[in-house]
Every structure is written in structure tokens, then in C-alpha cells.
């Protein structure tokens, strides 16, 4: 009897336990390439930097340079060389003193703004004195109150002779006289003029208007039209604002409040920037102390 043939058992494959080295080597190679790229883009062309520095210095007149701000410094298209400043040329624009600009401090900026605020307050005060003298000359000084604040110079028409009769928005003859006196002075200055209409503090319904807002608006427009149509002040400088009874001139508890709070304010709006106008009150307080 033949002996049964034994089935061949396949050999077990040998596991490659070192395949991780291939992945590791790939990762190391990629990291090396990454760092080479980073290193390459981080390098500054020192030669070109020195050329640019010398050209800029020569352009600002601080030192001589063989390049003299020429195209060799910045060859890229669309750039312009910096022309050297000739101190003997009176028509040439003076270059910016980089060192002086770099030495600016918040304290020096504040000092500049304060000086501008002082100059603007002095200008507005000079305007106030001119108006005061003109009104005094015509016997109308007591018909107006004036003050300087962060808006500018406010000229309040407060006299009982000027304020409008109850419930109406028509100027009295004396009110027109006051506007005739101050309008030539206002016409000479370039400032914007805000015409603010006010009623007194009593919240009652006007006889001929729906609300205090309507009445105060009508009074402001009446003064605006008089300045524009009768006195020739440019309409582009004028604007009318209604405040109703929301902004009394004096405390409503004051016995004079009913008369004085019913008024029209002509505001000479200062053209100074907001930072300068914010210092007006400080300047005025300092002036009061001296």
C-alpha cells in the first residue's frame, strides 16, 4: 500500500520590522526641506539694504552717497528717486526731518493742541468784543447774552424786547434791530452759523403750533431767513435747529427763566478739530484764574 503524500506547508512570511525607517526617513527629509526654505526666505540682502539706506539718507540731505537716490537703489518699476534737497533753493519743498518727527511725544502734541485752543478762544473772544461794542453803540447790549464753549461763540437773543410774543414766531422790531447790528460782523467771518430755537420751560401746547418743537423750529427758521434774505449772509453757512424746551438757558426755578429761556441762539461754530475744541473749557478756566 502506497504511503500517503504529506501536504506541503507554506513557509510563513518573514515580517519586516524595519519598515518604519522608510516613513521616518521621509519625514526627516521633508522637515529638512522645510527648514531650508524657511532659512532661505528669512535672509536679508544686506547689500541691497545698505544701498537703500544710503540712497534714502542722501535724498533727505543728511549724507553723501554714490547713488544719490538713483534708480540703482530701487530698480522696481513704478518707483521714483528721491531728489536731494538744495538748501539754497527757496522754492523747493523742505524734506521731513525724520529725527525731529521721531522725537515727537504725546506731551508735545498736547502742547500744540493747547496752543491752538488758546489761539481759537482768543479769536472767538475778539469776535465777542466786536459784537459787544457794536451793540453798546446802538443801546442794545442788554438784549443779548454771549458765551464761549466747546461749540464756539453763542449769541443768545434773550431780551423780552427780542423774544417772540407768546405762541408766535415773528421777530419784534427790536429783534430785527439787533440782527441788523450783528449781521455785518457775522458776514465777515467764514464760520458756520447754527440758529437754535428754544421755548421756555413750561410744557404747554402753543396756540398756533402742534408742539413746542414746531414753535422753536419756526422761530429758528425766522431768524435764519432774516439773516439770509434781508442781511445777505450766505445760506450755505446757515442751519436751523429746534430744541423746544429741552435746553433752558438758566434754571427753570429762577424767576427770570420764563422770559430768558424763550430765545434764539446764533452760534458761531468753531472750525477747530474736536481735540482742540475739547480744550476750550480748560483755556477759559485758566483765563478766569489770571
Amino acid at each position: 500500500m502506497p504511503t500517503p503524500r504529506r501536504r506541503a506547508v507554506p513557509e510563513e512570511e518573514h515580517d519586516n520590522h524595519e519598515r518604519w525607517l522608510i516613513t521616518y526617513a521621509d519625514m526627516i527629509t521633508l522637515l529638512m526641506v522645510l527648514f531650508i526654505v524657511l532659512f532661505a526666505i528669512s535672509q536679508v540682502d544686506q547689500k541691497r539694504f545698505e544701498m537703500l539706506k544710503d540712497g534714502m539718507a542722501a535724498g533727505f540731505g543728511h549724507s553723501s552717497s554714490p547713488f544719490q537716490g538713483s534708480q540703482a537703489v530701487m530698480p522696481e518699476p513704478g518707483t521714483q528717486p528721491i531728489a536731494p534737497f538744495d538748501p539754497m533753493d527757496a522754492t523747493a519743498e523742505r524734506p521731513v526731518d525724520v529725527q525731529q518727527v521721531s522725537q515727537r511725544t504725546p506731551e508735545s502734541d498736547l502742547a500744540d493742541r493747547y496752543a491752538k485752543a488758546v489761539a481759537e478762544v482768543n479769536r472767538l473772544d475778539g469776535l465777542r468784543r466786536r459784537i459787544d461794542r457794536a451793540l453798546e453803540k446802538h443801546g442794545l447790549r442788554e438784549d443779548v447774552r454771549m458765551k464761549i464753549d466747546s461749540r464756539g461763540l453763542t449769541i443768545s437773543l434773550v431780551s423780552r424786547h427780542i423774544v417772540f410774543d407768546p405762541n408766535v414766531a415773528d421777530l419784534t422790531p427790536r429783534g430785527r434791530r439787533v440782527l441788523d447790528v450783528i449781521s455785518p460782523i457775522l458776514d465777515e467771518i467764514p464760520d458756520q452759523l447754527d440758529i437754535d430755537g428754544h421755548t421756555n420751560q413750561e410744557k404747554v401746547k402753543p396756540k398756533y403750533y402742534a408742539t413746542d418743537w414746531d414753535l422753536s423750529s419756526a422761530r429758528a427758521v425766522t431768524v435764519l431767513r432774516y439773516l439770509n434774505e434781508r442781511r445777505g449772509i450766505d445760506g450755505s453757512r446757515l442751519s436751523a435747529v429746534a430744541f423746544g424746551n429741552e435746553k433752558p438757558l438758566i434754571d427753570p426755578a429762577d424767576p427770570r427763566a420764563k422770559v430768558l429761556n424763550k430765545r434764539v441762539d446764533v452760534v458761531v461754530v468753531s472750525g477747530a478739530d474736536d481735540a482742540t475744541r475739547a480744550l476750550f473749557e480748560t483755556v477759559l478756566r485758566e483765563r478766569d484764574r489770571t
Side-chain angles (χ1 to χ4, degrees):
M1 179 177 181
T3 304
R5 186 177 295 177
R6 298 178 63 182
R7 183 179 297 176
V9 179
E11 288 189 18
E12 182 179 356
E13 292 186 5
H14 177 68
D15 289 338
N16 186 356
H17 296 289
E18 298 177 352
R19 291 185 60 185
W20 63 272
L21 288 174
I22 299 175
T23 304
Y24 178 76
D26 289 341
M27 183 184 69
I28 292 298
T29 302
L30 290 174
L31 285 175
M32 181 182 68
V33 172
L34 172 64
F35 285 120
I36 290 174
V37 171
L38 291 177
F39 178 76
I41 66 176
S42 67
Q43 295 302 298
V44 177
D45 189 336
Q46 189 66 26
K47 182 179 178 181
R48 289 174 60 83
F49 176 76
E50 292 295 334
M51 292 169 62
L52 176 62
K53 182 182 70 172
D54 293 341
M56 291 290 290
F60 284 111
H62 289 293
S63 66
S64 59
S65 170
F67 301 103
Q68 293 298 323
S70 66
Q71 192 70 14
V73 177
M74 292 180 290
E76 291 81 0
T79 59
Q80 292 293 332
I82 301 175
F85 171 67
D86 183 1
M88 301 303 294
D89 185 3
T91 62
E93 291 188 6
R94 290 189 173 274
V96 177
D97 190 336
V98 180
Q99 184 177 5
Q100 181 179 358
V101 172
S102 64
Q103 292 175 349
R104 298 292 297 172
T105 63
E107 291 78 7
S108 59
D109 289 339
L110 179 59
D112 288 345
R113 287 199 300 270
Y114 188 82
K116 292 178 181 178
V118 170
E120 180 66 2
V121 168
N122 289 339
R123 183 185 74 88
L124 294 172
D125 192 53
L127 179 63
R128 180 193 63 79
R129 289 196 298 269
R130 286 185 61 194
I131 294 174
D132 190 75
R133 288 193 297 268
L135 292 171
E136 185 71 29
K137 181 179 178 180
H138 291 84
L140 300 171
R141 180 62 191 86
E142 297 303 319
D143 297 277
V144 171
R145 288 191 176 191
M146 291 183 282
K147 71 172 183 176
I148 298 173
D149 57 21
S150 59
R151 290 183 68 189
L153 173 64
T154 299
I155 307 164
S156 298
L157 314 183
V158 297
S159 168
R160 68 180 61 196
H161 304 292
I162 295 177
V163 292
F164 306 90
D165 292 329
N167 302 305
V168 297
D170 298 326
L171 273 168
T172 64
R174 192 176 179 97
R176 290 194 291 271
R177 285 181 58 197
V178 170
L179 292 179
D180 289 340
V181 170
I182 68 174
S183 58
I185 301 174
L186 298 178
D187 193 33
E188 295 175 4
I189 60 177
D191 305 80
Q192 183 76 17
L193 301 176
D194 285 353
I195 315 300
D196 299 347
H198 302 266
T199 59
N200 62 34
Q201 71 275 11
E202 294 184 1
K203 296 183 179 181
V204 296
K205 183 181 181 302
K207 185 176 181 180
Y208 305 110
Y209 296 88
T211 65
D212 282 346
W213 295 102
D214 300 85
L215 177 55
S216 63
S217 175
R219 288 172 172 170
V221 170
T222 296
V223 173
L224 182 149
R225 291 188 58 189
Y226 190 88
L227 292 174
N228 175 239
E229 298 171 4
R230 298 290 297 276
R231 302 306 307 177
I233 294 180
D234 189 354
S236 64
R237 295 176 52 208
L238 301 171
S239 61
V241 185
F243 287 99
N245 55 32
E246 297 298 325
K247 290 194 174 182
L249 182 63
I250 63 175
D251 188 347
D254 192 303
R256 303 166 300 165
K258 188 173 181 179
V259 172
L260 297 180
N261 288 336
K262 181 172 61 176
R263 71 196 189 278
V264 169
D265 294 339
V266 179
V267 183
V268 179
V269 181
S270 172
D273 59 82
D274 293 341
T276 301
R277 288 192 290 173
L279 295 172
F280 283 5
E281 298 292 341
T282 303
V283 173
L284 292 169
R285 284 196 299 269
E286 291 294 329
R287 290 180 56 173
D288 290 340
R289 291 196 190 102
T290 59

